[in-house]
Amino acid sequence: QVQVDESGGGSVQPGGSLRLSCVVSGGTFRNYWLGWFRQAAGKEREFVAASAPSRGGFRSYYSDSVRGRFTISRDNAKSTVYLQMNSLKPEDTAVYYCAADERLILSDRGRHQAYDFWGRGTQVTVSS
């Protein structure tokens, strides 16, 4: 059974930084696509970043809205994926979700419907 657990959310002022962590237990971590998504109040869940599995060279992918400000990274030894968020903006306020999937294909990396395993989410609030 695969379990996904996020942590690290909180409140921060605009321009600040936060780092989210997500531990994925069960299965073979290096074989997982790992995704970060977010959902603001009243909006659809949207793609933030993804990390490819070993067969994909552990490449990273980002949405246009966070590229250059956020960094996804993974520690395969700790079965943990991180999302470093810098230069945060009020529009980054949302519940952030971590997701994992072993069978995902590259073209589906940004589709939340394609991921099988999800955490419960962690709130990130950016406000002055």
Side-chain angles (χ1 to χ4, degrees):
Q1 185 175 355
V2 179
Q3 188 168 343
V4 180
D5 293 297
E6 311 100 334
S7 61
S11 295
V12 64
Q13 292 187 340
S17 298
L18 282 174
R19 188 177 81 155
L20 306 182
S21 301
C22 172
V23 177
V24 180
S25 56
T28 304
F29 184 80
R30 64 187 296 110
N31 291 343
Y32 284 121
W33 273 95
L34 301 166
W36 285 100
F37 291 79
R38 65 187 182 186
Q39 189 165 14
K43 295 189 176 181
E44 296 287 321
R45 190 167 298 191
E46 66 171 354
F47 170 71
V48 175
S51 173
S54 59
R55 67 182 183 276
F58 299 122
R59 288 189 65 182
S60 299
Y61 301 87
Y62 299 94
S63 68
D64 289 342
S65 62
V66 308
R67 187 176 292 110
R69 300 188 298 123
F70 291 10
T71 302
I72 188 171
S73 61
R74 62 194 293 162
D75 185 334
N76 293 319
K78 295 182 178 180
S79 298
T80 302
V81 59
Y82 303 97
L83 185 68
Q84 178 66 44
M85 305 184 293
N86 298 330
S87 302
L88 282 161
K89 305 175 181 180
E91 52 263 43
D92 294 316
T93 295
V95 177
Y96 283 70
Y97 295 92
C98 178
D101 196 275
E102 194 169 5
R103 299 173 295 176
L104 200 68
I105 58 175
L106 178 62
S107 58
D108 282 341
R109 64 190 183 275
R111 295 181 59 246
H112 65 86
Q113 301 92 332
Y115 289 78
D116 279 344
F117 306 109
W118 289 85
R120 289 177 290 182
T122 185
Q123 176 71 44
V124 172
T125 302
V126 185
S127 173
S128 55

